[in-house]
Each structure stands twice: as C-alpha cells, then as structure tokens.
Amino acid sequence: MLQALASGSTGQEEFYGKELILADRETVEQEADNILKDADVCDVAFLVVGDPFGATTHSDLVLRAVKLGIPYKVIHNASIMSAVGCCGLQLYSFGETVSIVFWTDTWKPESFFDKIEKNRQNGMHTLCLLDIKVKEQSLENLMKGRKIYEPPRYMSVNQAAKQLLAIIQNRRLQGEESAITENTICVGLARVGAPDQKIASGTLEQMATVELGGPLHSLIVTGTLHPLELEMLQLFPIAGSSFEQHACQRTA
C-alpha cells in the first residue's frame, strides 16, 4: 500500500492511482508521528513542491524516521534556490536568502531588510522568498477556537517592493542612508519553471508597480553586477529600465 501526503494534490490522484492525503503545514509540523505511524509495515510517500530539504520540517521527518528505525529514501527535485538562475544572475554571487513577510497594521518587522543590505554591501545578490498565508485563522477565530480559515494569500513582487521602499523612506527620515535605494536593480520572478513563467528586471521603484500575474512570486535584490549578468537582465526589462550605469559597480 502506498500512502501519499502531498502539499497539493490536484490531478495527482489520477496520475498515481492512489488516494492522497492533503498535508497542510499544521499536519506536517504537529502530526509527524501520524505520518510515520505505519511506515514500518507499508510504504509512505511524502510529496512536496520543490526540493524535500528546502524546509526544516522535512529534515525533522528524516530524524524521526531514523529514531524509529524506519528506512527512508529521498528523491531530489528542482528548487527555487537554483531555478532563479533562469534570470541570468550567477548562483555563486548570492548571499543569504531571506523571507519577506506580510506586514499588518501593528506588526512591521524589518529584520529581512538588514540582511538584504548586508548582502548588497558585500556585493552579493539576495533571493527574497515571499510570504504565503494558507489556512490562516483570524485573531478572533483563533481566540475562540473556531476552525475557520481566511482565504489564501500570496505575496506578489509589487507588494514586497512596496514594503522595502517603505523601510528605505522610514530610515531616510531618521537620517539613515541605505545601501538599497529606489534605483537599486531588482528582478521579479513568477511561476518559475511553469510554461507561463514571468521575469522582469528594473529598479526597486519599478518593481512596486509591475504586474506578474498569479503566484508564486520571488524577488531578487542585486548586488554587484557582472557584465554577463547585466546583459542577461536586459532580456527581461520593464519598460523604461536602464542598466548601463549599474554594471560592475560595487555599492558602498
């Protein structure tokens, strides 16, 4: 028997000929023991989007299996961590990857900006993974213990760019000049690997208005650009973009 726990099962049951159990984040993080419960007597497959080790929770499943004496096999897959090379930026020129979260009226963290700025000061590009809100509860429903969930939300490139611009403006008002400005060259990517993937390169300010369609989106804030990288980015320009002045310039 094959049990499959998938991050998205549309059309896959017919493909595999097996019943799939949709495993959301809560299932994976809080019910890991149930996933492995019968794995000593039957095969259990855990299907994910991207590479299995792109998330720490998946490493947790491996550690639990080892402790239970359950053998495991990993089949690697393409990941956004490497697929971003499709825009022409060299993978070894990337620094620390960051996640940009949705702001709320009362919670506006900026820690991701400091990491992007540090990468840029070192001449490195930054891959920004954009927030996903799936099966999230409102504060009221959470406090009342009601299993009512908000509609899914996926952060877009323009939403992420607007938050970065807000941080730049706030810090400027405080007398701080950032290594990242409205004119910093960025790259927006959407649905990478799909037939309708979109890539757009331009300034951070331009990214705040670009429309790349449906999810999933990623944003890259560039560091020092090699001439070949610059030439590649010119294949995906937002109308009015100009990159010549940014070639091979290291930001201070």
Side-chain angles (χ1 to χ4, degrees), residues 1-237:
M1 181 177 67
L2 173 66
Q3 285 184 306
L5 292 103
S7 56
S9 59
T10 303
Q12 293 186 15
E13 288 190 343
E14 292 183 8
F15 179 81
Y16 291 110
K18 303 289 182 180
E19 179 184 359
L20 302 186
I21 302 170
L22 188 62
D24 55 28
R25 183 171 181 173
E26 182 178 341
T27 301
V28 178
E29 293 184 353
Q30 300 181 19
E31 301 177 26
D33 290 336
N34 289 336
I35 295 175
L36 296 171
K37 183 176 61 175
D38 298 320
D40 56 339
V41 294
C42 69
D43 292 330
V44 176
F46 182 75
L47 312 179
V48 302
V49 176
D51 191 83
F53 289 124
T56 54
T57 49
H58 303 160
S59 297
D60 177 64
L61 281 175
V62 169
L63 293 173
R64 288 172 184 265
V66 170
K67 289 178 181 178
L68 293 171
I70 298 172
Y72 70 91
K73 179 180 180 180
V74 177
I75 300 175
H76 292 284
N77 191 15
S79 168
I80 189 63
M81 303 292 285
S82 58
V84 293
C86 65
C87 71
L89 296 179
Q90 299 168 9
L91 294 181
Y92 57 78
S93 294
F94 278 78
E96 181 178 356
T97 299
V98 306
S99 295
I100 298 181
V101 298
F102 278 114
W103 279 353
T104 68
D105 292 337
T106 58
W107 187 62
K108 297 184 178 182
E110 297 185 2
S111 56
F112 55 82
F113 186 87
D114 297 325
K115 293 178 180 179
I116 298 172
E117 188 170 44
K118 182 177 180 181
N119 281 344
R120 185 162 167 80
Q121 288 169 339
N122 290 329
M124 310 299 285
H125 312 315
T126 305
L127 170 61
C128 304
L129 304 178
L130 307 188
D131 203 2
I132 299 174
K133 296 291 186 185
V134 178
K135 208 172 180 181
E136 294 281 328
Q137 292 176 275
S138 68
L139 182 59
E140 179 183 357
N141 287 329
L142 189 62
M143 293 178 65
K144 293 184 177 180
R146 298 186 299 207
K147 293 290 185 177
I148 301 175
Y149 302 102
E150 299 296 298
R153 290 190 297 149
Y154 304 91
M155 182 178 284
S156 64
V157 162
N158 57 44
Q159 288 174 312
K162 288 174 183 176
Q163 290 189 185
L164 292 176
L165 288 170
I167 295 173
I168 292 170
Q169 292 166 3
N170 289 338
R171 296 192 177 190
R172 190 172 289 152
L173 290 174
Q174 298 171 12
E176 298 180 29
E177 280 301 325
S178 172
I180 307 164
T181 72
E182 293 85 349
N183 293 320
T184 296
I185 294 299
C186 297
V187 185
L189 305 101
R191 302 173 304 284
V192 172
D196 64 341
Q197 78 172 20
K198 291 280 184 69
I199 304 173
S201 57
T203 66
L204 179 58
E205 190 168 41
Q206 289 175 317
M207 288 295 156
T209 58
V210 73
E211 294 291 343
L212 297 180
L216 295 170
H217 288 198
S218 300
L219 175 68
I220 301 172
V221 179
T222 65
T224 301
L225 288 169
H226 185 278
L228 288 178
E229 293 179 307
L230 186 65
E231 189 173 354
M232 282 293 294
L233 292 186
Q234 289 174 331
L235 297 178
F236 316 106

